[in-house]
Amino acid sequence: MQKVMFKGLLPEEKTLREIKVTNGAKIMVVGSTINDVLAVNTPKEAAQQEVKAEENKKEPLCRQKQHRKVLDKGKPDDVMPSVKGVQERLPTVPLSGMYNKSGGKVRLTFKLEQDQLWIGTKERTEKLPMGSIKNVVSEPIEGHEDYHMMAFQLGPTEASYYWVYWVPTQYVDAIKDTVLGKWQYF
């Protein structure tokens, strides 16, 4: 019920010695209570449906204050073009030009051969195993329905959402399917 982070999230089967943690190195250990673990051990499909039902009760995400500050910056000049009404497979290049919750630039790279999602910013790149992402939620941005805001749930609660803004709509379903385990065949 614990995860260890040292230069990114570590695979569970590795020991600290195998990843060459040295004396004095800083590592982060994140743990969960048994109740948190049981709460997220529902099947991913059921969890996704529960989140959708909950979203329908709340005001739209793009109207909430925490998201307005990023969305009010407007669409980034270098965001990837969007094609409304079309679903495409993940591109072979990183999805770039989007914002994170701080309004900083972010890019998503899907390393399918390593079963990882790389979330890159100017400062660093987080390499996340797909299996560690509990859920993916998204919602069209009002007035710009060809783009979505999307969150990757990295822990047991909504507080662990990593938000990405201005995701081109044609990739939303492919991102969800890839991260949640519905593989695409090329």
Side-chain angles (χ1 to χ4, degrees):
M1 292 190 298
Q2 294 179 331
K3 302 278 186 203
V4 178
M5 295 185 82
F6 176 72
K7 298 182 182 175
L9 190 62
L10 299 180
E12 292 183 16
E13 65 277 356
K14 296 281 185 182
T15 66
L16 295 177
R17 182 170 284 122
E18 289 173 322
I19 57 160
K20 298 179 175 57
V21 173
T22 58
N23 192 13
K26 292 184 180 183
I27 63 170
M28 181 167 60
V29 179
V30 181
S32 300
T33 66
I34 189 69
N35 291 337
D36 287 341
V37 172
L38 293 174
V40 295
N41 269 347
T42 58
K44 288 186 177 185
E45 291 289 326
Q48 186 110 15
Q49 289 171 352
E50 286 175 27
V51 168
K52 279 193 192 308
E54 191 64 29
E55 285 173 355
N56 291 338
K57 296 177 195 168
K58 297 180 186 176
E59 74 175 317
L61 293 170
C62 59
R63 290 190 197 159
Q64 294 175 11
K65 184 179 178 184
Q66 70 182 41
H67 304 298
R68 285 284 7 134
K69 66 179 184 173
V70 177
L71 295 172
D72 287 345
K73 288 178 71 169
K75 186 168 74 171
D77 295 333
D78 58 344
V79 72
M80 294 181 82
S82 182
V83 183
K84 193 173 177 183
V86 174
Q87 292 182 9
E88 293 185 14
R89 291 183 171 154
L90 290 175
T92 55
V93 297
L95 289 170
S96 60
M98 299 167 292
Y99 290 140
N100 61 17
K101 71 177 181 181
S102 310
K105 289 292 182 140
V106 67
R107 76 187 160 282
L108 302 176
T109 307
F110 294 87
K111 294 290 190 175
L112 301 180
E113 65 281 356
Q114 297 168 353
D115 199 28
Q116 292 181 337
L117 166 60
W118 291 9
I119 301 175
T121 62
K122 190 167 72 172
E123 293 81 27
R124 68 174 165 266
T125 299
E126 289 292 330
K127 300 177 179 180
L128 304 171
M130 300 276 191
S132 71
I133 301 171
K134 310 288 186 251
N135 202 3
V136 180
V137 296
S138 71
E139 180 180 289
I141 298 171
E142 278 185 354
H144 300 276
E145 282 75 13
D146 48 340
Y147 289 93
H148 279 232
M149 48 191 291
M150 178 175 277
F152 299 96
Q153 185 177 345
L154 306 179
T157 66
E158 284 186 21
S160 68
Y161 282 0
Y162 186 96
W163 286 98
V164 179
Y165 303 86
W166 303 101
V167 178
T169 192
Q170 71 266 28
Y171 300 122
V172 169
D173 287 340
I175 292 170
K176 288 180 180 180
D177 290 349
T178 300
V179 170
L180 298 175
K182 296 177 185 168
W183 288 100
Q184 303 173 41
Y185 298 98
F186 297 96

